[in-house]
Amino acid sequence: MSIETSRRNFLKLSVAGTAVAGALPALFDAAARAGSGKLALEKGVVYNMLPKEMSVADRFKLARDTGFKVVQAPTTPDQKEAEELKKAADATGVRIDSVMNMAHWKYPLSSGDPAVVAKSMEGMRTSLHNAKLWGSDAVLLVPAVVNPETSYREAWARSQKQIRKLLPLAEEVKVVIAIEEVWNKFLLDPVSMAHYIDEFRSPWVKAWFDVGNVVLYGYPQDWIRTLGKRIDKLHLKDFKRRESSFEWVNLGDGDVDWAAVRSALAEIGFLGSATVELESVDDSIAEGYLRDVSQRVDKLLVGKA
């Protein structure tokens, strides 16, 4: 899902190279105890984590140089901008493996307003065409939003109806519509999410699982085992509960049991990409920050020593 500062209140992270090197051993003792087996994952970063002041080409170079093999790019209606992203990806060898659909919060598929739904569908069609251009194989979709105007039952039925209309295009471009669980008061447990996906009876609807999003009301390892092969791709975040509040933190600094997550992913034979979705930082520390995040994925999840 898109990073929304007003919704998240991320912890500000200042990362310096020497400090990172000194902190890593303590952070990753638990992960090391989980065993030496490695997960075959493609390590990714969301495009909005890359410094906004850089050119498109330099943003992709930085992603490559800090250890990321894939990028998740946002919906890009402007064809010239979309071509520029493709050119930068091709030049650096960093694949745009997925699209983050951008219309689903402001214009949810579950709305009772036909004009809102039309905008949402337009956004998804643009995302699917972006994916074809970029050689991506998935589009992330938050399928519905439950609110005072839209009941849970209505969100379920309305969103499924619209997604079914998108399936012919998804099949044509060979791109999965990957349903994400998020704080939208919908699909609040893994059994419901599995049932929602299974009702489509289509290989073009799968799950995009966000490790951090469920910590408030569940356990990522339980979701992973329940969703199993339905999981197409991952978002990586970490979440810290406080006595009377909570906050998003860097990987390894929160309440996610990364050893358990890694074990569950190994059990289901997950082979997709794992994309970090954290806060962007000032350009002056961006490279060190991204290197640190990349190393944390290696230690906590990939299984590199």
Side-chain angles (χ1 to χ4, degrees):
M1 66 184 173
S2 60
I3 301 175
E4 297 169 288
T5 304
S6 61
R7 185 169 57 88
R8 291 204 173 155
N9 276 331
F10 275 99
L11 179 69
K12 293 290 181 183
L13 301 168
S14 295
V15 179
T18 54
V20 169
L24 285 174
L27 282 171
F28 302 129
D29 281 348
R33 290 195 296 271
S36 59
K38 297 180 180 180
L39 289 173
L41 303 176
E42 280 194 306
K43 187 169 47 174
V45 60
V46 296
Y47 185 70
N48 286 344
M49 281 182 65
L50 303 170
K52 295 176 177 57
E53 297 302 315
M54 285 186 172
S55 67
V56 173
D58 285 342
R59 291 172 84 170
F60 274 85
K61 288 176 185 176
L62 182 60
R64 178 196 63 195
D65 293 346
T66 51
F68 296 100
K69 293 184 177 180
V70 300
V71 163
Q72 182 181 29
T75 310
T76 306
D78 186 286
Q79 187 66 18
K80 183 177 179 180
E81 292 178 6
E83 293 283 358
E84 186 178 11
L85 285 163
K86 175 176 171 54
K87 182 178 178 180
D90 291 345
T92 56
V94 175
R95 189 168 73 95
I96 302 175
D97 82 317
S98 60
V99 182
M100 183 181 288
N101 182 54
M102 302 300 289
H104 46 217
W105 277 105
K106 187 175 182 180
Y107 306 107
L109 291 175
S110 53
S111 173
D113 184 342
V116 170
V117 173
K119 286 182 178 294
S120 191
M121 291 290 281
E122 180 183 359
M124 270 301 292
R125 292 188 182 99
T126 299
S127 295
L128 287 164
H129 287 298
N130 284 160
K132 181 180 180 181
L133 172 67
W134 295 333
S136 308
D137 51 30
V139 171
L140 182 153
L141 173 65
V142 175
V145 177
V146 174
N147 55 36
E149 293 75 39
T150 302
S151 71
Y152 197 104
R153 185 183 298 274
E154 288 170 331
W156 188 290
R158 290 172 181 173
S159 60
Q160 283 194 339
K161 179 181 179 180
Q162 299 306 319
I163 291 169
R164 287 191 175 97
K165 294 178 184 178
L166 294 168
L167 289 181
L169 177 58
E171 182 174 8
E172 176 187 336
V173 297
K174 302 294 186 287
V175 174
V176 166
I177 298 172
I179 305 298
E180 188 185 39
E181 90 298 340
V182 66
W183 295 358
N184 53 344
K185 298 181 173 62
F186 187 63
L187 305 181
L188 299 175
D189 68 85
V191 175
S192 295
M193 188 171 187
H195 183 50
Y196 180 86
I197 290 169
D198 289 349
E199 285 191 340
F200 287 100
R201 300 182 182 276
S202 171
W204 303 108
V205 181
K206 295 185 180 180
W208 189 302
F209 180 64
D210 189 304
V211 172
N213 281 350
V214 303
V215 175
L216 187 63
Y217 46 79
Y219 300 91
Q221 58 271 27
D222 176 33
W223 281 71
I224 290 167
R225 292 188 176 97
T226 302
L227 293 174
K229 295 293 185 181
R230 298 174 186 85
I231 299 176
D232 191 60
K233 294 184 186 294
L234 299 173
H235 266 163
L236 306 180
K237 295 201 294 285
D238 212 336
F239 181 90
K240 184 69 176 177
R241 300 182 190 89
R242 304 295 184 187
E243 186 174 342
S244 58
S245 63
F246 54 83
E247 62 185 344
W248 297 99
V249 296
N250 204 346
L251 306 180
D253 292 344
D255 294 327
V256 172
D257 185 339
W258 289 100
V261 166
R262 181 173 154 190
S263 178
L265 289 171
E267 285 180 28
I268 69 168
F270 180 75
L271 299 174
S273 61
T275 299
V276 294
E277 188 194 17
L278 303 171
E279 187 184 33
S280 60
V281 296
D282 292 340
D283 290 3
S284 60
I285 61 170
E287 183 172 353
Y289 169 63
L290 290 167
R291 287 189 188 279
D292 170 57
V293 171
S294 180
Q295 289 175 4
R296 287 172 186 251
V297 177
D298 287 344
K299 294 288 186 177
L300 291 168
L301 202 58
V302 176
K304 291 184 178 179

